[in-house]
Structure formats: C-alpha cells, structure tokens
Amino acid sequence: MKINSTALSLTVTDVEASSRFLKTHFKFQEKWSADGFAYLTHHGLNMPLIFLESGKDVLPEAIRNDKVSGVIVAFVVDELEVEYERLKNEGVTITEPIREDPWGERLFQVTDPNGVVIQLVQWVIPSDSQFTENHSGSQPW
C-alpha cells in the first residue's frame, strides 16, 4: 500500500471555536470550511487538522454523536519555555504545566474550547537510565 498523505480528523461540538483557537494561538490557516467542517493547515506541517461537527449526517452512524476524547494533538517545538510564556500571555489556560517524562519528553498542555488537548513537546536527553541506553540522539517523531 502506498499512503500519499495523512490528516487528523476530530469530531467536536463547535467547529468554529476549535478552528479559531488554532488560528489565533498556533498560526494555522483555514484552507476549506463549510457548515460543520473546517480543514486547517500549518506552514511546514505535513498533516492537516480537520474539525467535524458532532451529530452531522455525513459521519458514520456508529460515531455520529461522539466527541473527541482521549486524543492528544502534539506539536514538537524548539523553545518550550518561550511557547509556554507566549500562550500564558495570550490568556490561554495551561491545563498541564511543564514537566519532563523519563523518556526525555518535556511538555505542557493546553485545551481548546471543545476539550481538544494540545500538547507542546520538546525532546531532551532522557533522565531515566533505562531510556538512555537505547537513545540514539534522534527524536522519536
């Protein structure tokens, strides 16, 4: 199988609120939109984000009324602290403060108006010795 591209599609209650959040705070551009649909891109990012309105007939019946849950949209950045301060200064609520996981993932999280968790990540050398043994210096993504 040849996969030509990929996209992440999230079902939310208020498409415009999620779209506006990404455009305002993360510099996404809305490439296409319609009633209950928004297709967003970001310069340099090869994976568009799509928001679909929960309850729309175009969604398969089995998931038609579901809303995004248990999904984390992660953006890898170079200067985590700078982004943290920028978002805080813009009035974005930080829902998970900066922390470092043992495998070398420094992160913090914000949540959009529909509950979509957005995690900003900066990779560092892992602090836990069990992870440093196999660390090749490259990022996992």
Side-chain angles (χ1 to χ4, degrees), residues 24-77:
T24 301
H25 301 294
F26 296 95
K27 298 181 181 172
F28 274 76
Q29 296 84 39
E30 198 171 85
K31 189 169 182 180
W32 299 305
S33 65
D35 183 36
F37 169 84
Y39 182 103
L40 293 104
T41 60
H42 190 280
H43 177 72
L45 184 64
N46 293 327
M47 186 177 76
L49 290 176
I50 299 168
F51 292 109
L52 299 169
E53 184 180 339
S54 176
K56 290 286 188 185
D57 289 342
V58 296
L59 295 169
E61 189 174 350
I63 63 165
R64 184 168 296 151
N65 295 308
D66 291 352
K67 294 172 194 74
V68 67
S69 175
V71 173
I72 296 173
V73 178
F75 300 137
V76 178
V77 298

Side-chain angles (χ1 to χ4, degrees), residues 97-109:
I98 292 178
R99 72 168 203 257
E100 184 175 326
D101 291 329
W103 48 86
E105 184 179 28
R106 292 193 70 239
L107 63 96
F108 72 92
Q109 295 176 351

Side-chain angles (χ1 to χ4, degrees), residues 75-91:
F75 300 137
V76 178
V77 298
D78 290 329
E79 297 177 320
L80 192 70
E81 287 81 5
V82 170
E83 296 302 328
Y84 182 88
E85 290 302 321
R86 178 186 64 81
L87 289 168
K88 213 165 82 168
N89 291 336
E90 291 177 4

